[in-house]
Amino acid sequence: MTSTTTNPKNWLAQADLLAKSGLTHLIGGKDSGAGFGKGIYDDFFIMMPAAYSLVRNRNITHHQTISKDGAWIRYVEGSRLDLKDVQFFWGSAAIAQTDHILLHDDKAKKAELALESILADLAVLNIPDGVKLSISLSNHNPDRWGQEIKRRVSGIHTFEHLHPVSRSIVTKTVQIVVTGIYPEGFGSIAHCLFGEASLILDPSEIAIALDFGSSTWLATIFDGSGAVIARSLIEGGVGELHSMIARSLDKRNDRVSLLSRDVKHSPSLVNEGIINGTFTYGGNALTGKNFQTEYSECLDEWWTTRIEKFANFVTAGNYLDRAQHFVAWGGGASLPIVDENLAALGFTTLKNPQFINALGLKLLTEISQEV
């Protein structure tokens, strides 16, 4: 999973274009996610691993990095006085450090590091200096964290990052206005009912949604007014599938695997093999191996145990017979075989499934701004 923009095949050209665009006001939506953060800023889409690492050794310079899915940031000055002169990595740049923090390990970090996540997005996108950003965000517990996120994110922030094209350090100032903090998935419902994927649903009618995230499956029952009627959180999202495959690879006894039998297989490399469609682990002759068999076997177990829990939830509440629509989104909804399983059950997987919540949050920002 990597970041994308309106021209994902030529990220450097796109970053250069945005910097020279002359834009002065961006409208955005930010879904911090569990495994990957998703953001939409005007027409620019970006996704990065939700990972953070504080730069502690200021005497080294190799940390000054930027890529399409990771960045180094230095907070120069601004509304967050506690961050003055703080340097950090985000995304793949953070994962490369041994002391990195994965946000899904601590839900509080999704709120505490909300600004850092946005600044990393803006660095990778290479926004013009002096931009105003109006943005809506989501959180698993807005009653607990909403005001804290707004306090941490709102204001004027000056920061440094590497220019993606020139590779020189550039300084940017952004004014961020937080227009709303919404519950997780609220943006997805808004997108379904009022956005491009509009469902024809009367207020008295209901729809069933399945969100395939990195940490969980989230089943949601909502009506035509956007009200959430019921929810069920099923543990073990796509990240668990990746871990299951990695553990299966650990147990292999073929000749190549014996040469690297002390290597613990990485779920992130499993993910890369699935995303690029090769189902190959690693990129060299020693560790590279096809895991198509492990994928099919692990996915069958992963799918069966969780779809049973989903079935129990929708039947016990008498939602199945009443539902007018079945929709799916989240990164796992478009996985090979999963997409076929969903279609067989009558589900419609929405376009850009990973960005549905961010799209809806951007829509809510637009409404607040009367765009």
Side-chain angles (χ1 to χ4, degrees):
M1 297 181 181
T2 57
S3 61
T4 58
T5 67
T6 52
N7 185 8
K9 294 184 179 180
N10 196 342
W11 164 64
L12 291 178
Q14 186 65 72
D16 191 46
L17 178 65
L18 181 54
K20 299 174 180 176
S21 66
L23 287 171
T24 59
H25 188 194
L26 294 173
I27 302 294
K30 176 70 178 185
D31 175 6
S32 58
F36 292 81
K38 283 79 66 177
I40 301 178
Y41 303 86
D42 272 27
D43 294 329
F44 302 94
F45 292 59
I46 184 166
M47 179 169 64
M48 287 192 283
Y52 167 88
S53 178
L54 179 68
V55 176
R56 292 180 171 84
N57 186 350
R58 307 291 185 85
N59 297 319
I60 57 176
T61 59
H62 71 265
H63 61 264
Q64 295 173 349
T65 182
I66 194 169
S67 71
K68 68 182 185 299
D69 54 8
W72 160 83
I73 305 290
R74 173 176 172 258
Y75 191 94
V76 179
E77 61 182 359
S79 302
R80 287 288 301 278
L81 299 179
D82 59 307
L83 289 182
K84 184 177 175 60
D85 201 35
V86 168
Q87 300 180 33
F88 63 91
F89 308 101
W90 195 270
S92 60
I95 291 176
Q97 314 304 314
T98 57
D99 62 348
H100 67 268
I101 296 171
L102 298 176
L103 270 63
H104 68 75
D105 291 337
D106 183 353
K107 288 187 176 182
K109 295 299 182 185
K110 294 169 66 174
E112 294 169 358
L113 298 173
L115 175 63
E116 288 86 335
S117 174
I118 293 172
L119 294 182
D121 287 350
L122 300 180
V124 172
L125 290 176
N126 199 26
I127 62 161
D129 183 29
V131 160
K132 176 182 177 181
L133 169 63
S134 299
I135 191 167
S136 294
L137 303 97
S138 64
N139 185 262
H140 64 284
N141 188 352
D143 291 337
R144 165 67 177 85
W145 292 106
Q147 288 303 313
E148 182 67 8
I149 293 172
K150 194 168 186 177
R151 182 191 69 80
R152 289 171 180 260
V153 173
S154 301
I156 296 176
H157 311 285
T158 299
F159 63 102
E160 290 181 342
H161 67 83
L162 275 195
H163 191 287
V165 180
S166 70
R167 313 303 291 179
S168 60
I169 295 178
V170 293
T171 303
K172 306 284 180 66
T173 298
V174 59
Q175 177 188 359
I176 302 180
V177 177
V178 176
T179 59
I181 310 291
Y182 298 94
E184 295 283 8
F186 192 88
S188 302
I189 295 173
H191 178 72
C192 279
L193 294 177
F194 313 115
E196 295 176 7
S198 296
L199 302 181
I200 307 302
L201 200 64
D202 291 335
S204 61
E205 297 177 331
I206 67 170
I208 298 176
L210 257 179
D211 181 356
F212 295 83
S214 296
S215 299
T216 62
W217 289 24
L218 178 60
T220 303
I221 316 297
F222 62 94
D223 65 23
S225 66
V228 173
I229 299 170
R231 273 185 167 160
S232 178
L233 194 66
I234 302 170
E235 296 293 340
V238 180
E240 176 58 24
L241 173 62
H242 298 155
S243 296
M244 290 169 66
I245 295 170
R247 290 193 294 268
S248 291
L249 291 173
D250 289 343
K251 298 175 183 177
R252 270 200 187 181
N253 59 2
D254 58 273
R255 183 176 301 175
V256 173
S257 295
L258 287 173
L259 292 174
S260 56
R261 60 189 173 188
D262 293 329
V263 175
K264 185 175 178 62
H265 292 83
S266 165
S268 64
L269 289 180
V270 170
N271 176 46
E272 288 183 14
I274 296 171
I275 294 301
N276 63 34
T278 65
F279 291 92
T280 298
Y281 179 92
N284 59 66
L286 181 62
T287 63
K289 62 197 74 173
N290 184 277
F291 59 83
Q292 184 86 51
T293 299
E294 285 84 357
Y295 177 81
S296 297
E297 293 174 350
C298 291
L299 187 138
D300 183 62
E301 177 185 347
W302 176 79
W303 170 267
T304 301
T305 56
R306 286 155 184 81
I307 202 67
E308 288 179 356
K309 293 180 180 179
F310 166 74
N312 291 336
F313 166 64
V314 294
T315 54
N318 195 30
Y319 303 121
L320 195 60
D321 294 338
R322 297 165 50 201
Q324 278 70 41
H325 293 280
F326 300 87
V327 291
W329 56 68
S334 55
L335 286 174
I337 303 177
V338 172
D339 55 357
E340 298 174 10
N341 290 349
L342 287 168
L345 292 175
F347 277 82
T348 298
T349 299
L350 302 185
K351 181 182 178 183
N352 290 325
Q354 286 177 303
F355 286 95
I356 297 301
N357 194 40
L359 281 164
L361 292 169
K362 177 175 178 284
L363 176 63
L364 293 168
T365 305
E366 292 172 347
I367 293 172
S368 72
Q369 299 289 299
E370 296 182 351
V371 173

